[in-house]
Amino acid sequence: FCFDDSIFEDQDRTFAPYAIGCLDAAGDIDWVRIRTTIAEFSRSSTARENAAQGDSMVGPTIWSPSYNQGVSYIVYGPSGKVCSDPFPNEDYLSFQDYYAKKYGIEISPNGEMYQARRMWEFPQTLSAMQVESLLEDDIRYIPTVDVPQELFAESLVTNPVIMLHSIVLPQLLYQLESYLTVTSFMEHCLCNFPILGQCLSELSIESVMEALTAKSC
């Protein structure tokens, strides 16, 4: 994150206070990844469908189903099953039967199934997603599902790491602002209201933050 000091120089113009990008392992700007993400985002729906139907997947990729593009899955690769294989729920004979009855969509019985996790089952808040939660070991509790390749297209943003970080980034900035506000308030109290400042200094920053920022307090 790079703060733009020019935001204070011209109050009549609007400036983005932060420039957000990707860094590589060495801490340098990852221009290749940034350009790739922009290029993928600019693709047509047909191009994204064709990309999902190919066999060139490298690493986990975000897909969305054609029947509901508002949901996303992190897809890991072929599961070794086909659409005619038995469905986990006994109410349906096969994956093909499930999609026919549930969505009225006919799919090929020999179509390939891919292993995936539902994006909406990943942690969505900072309280649940700490740094350690980004490790694969910490998301194993999220169940995997099988999805038919032929019904899916790649999402506008295909990189799961970028997408998951983007979900919690606004919360991270809010938490950072709250933390700085609370620490400044506690320092102010120590200098100007010693008794109150001493009482606050004996509490955790988290508890003071909750008292100052929670609507119920």
Side-chain angles (χ1 to χ4, degrees):
F1 307 99
C2 300
F3 188 78
D4 187 356
D5 293 330
S6 61
I7 192 173
F8 298 114
E9 298 173 0
D10 190 343
Q11 299 297 323
D12 296 327
R13 296 179 58 191
T14 301
F15 292 88
Y18 295 94
I20 301 172
C22 304
L23 301 180
D24 57 23
D28 300 321
I29 296 178
D30 192 343
W31 291 109
V32 174
R33 184 174 300 235
I34 293 174
R35 293 190 182 98
T36 299
T37 301
I38 294 174
E40 290 176 343
F41 189 88
S42 304
R43 293 177 299 174
S44 65
S45 58
T46 301
R48 290 187 287 110
E49 289 175 2
N50 292 338
Q53 303 312 310
D55 55 1
S56 59
M57 175 184 290
V58 179
T61 304
I62 301 177
W63 286 5
S64 295
S66 58
Y67 54 86
N68 188 354
Q69 298 184 11
V71 300
S72 300
Y73 294 77
I74 297 180
V75 181
Y76 297 89
S79 66
K81 299 179 182 178
V82 294
C83 297
S84 60
D85 284 341
F87 191 75
N89 189 326
E90 295 180 356
D91 293 338
Y92 304 96
L93 299 176
S94 63
F95 291 99
Q96 183 186 22
D97 184 49
Y98 168 77
Y99 283 94
K101 294 179 178 178
K102 181 76 173 181
Y103 300 103
I105 300 175
E106 294 294 335
I107 57 177
S108 170
N110 297 320
E112 197 167 18
M113 303 296 294
Y114 274 58
Q115 188 178 57
R117 284 190 172 100
R118 301 179 179 95
M119 279 281 291
W120 61 91
E121 292 185 344
F122 278 75
Q124 302 291 308
T125 61
L126 283 174
S127 59
M129 177 180 279
Q130 303 300 331
V131 175
E132 293 82 7
S133 297
L134 300 178
L135 299 175
E136 181 68 20
D137 288 344
D138 297 301
I139 61 173
R140 286 182 178 173
Y141 69 91
I142 301 176
T144 59
V145 295
D146 293 292
V147 297
Q149 179 187 28
E150 64 184 88
L151 293 183
F152 280 73
E154 288 190 353
S155 298
L156 292 172
V157 177
T158 64
N159 190 311
V161 175
I162 294 176
M163 180 60 71
L164 291 173
H165 278 78
S166 297
I167 292 174
V168 299
L169 178 59
Q171 301 174 59
L172 173 63
L173 296 179
Y174 174 78
Q175 294 281 1
L176 176 60
E177 180 184 16
S178 298
Y179 178 85
L180 295 175
T181 299
V182 169
T183 53
S184 297
F185 173 74
M186 295 174 68
E187 291 174 1
H188 170 76
C189 290
L190 281 172
C191 294
N192 299 280
F193 307 97
I195 296 178
L196 175 60
Q198 180 62 33
C199 292
L200 292 176
S201 65
E202 296 177 359
L203 302 173
S204 66
I205 292 181
E206 289 76 12
S207 60
V208 178
M209 184 186 304
E210 181 180 0
L212 291 178
T213 60
K215 294 182 179 180
S216 59
C217 296

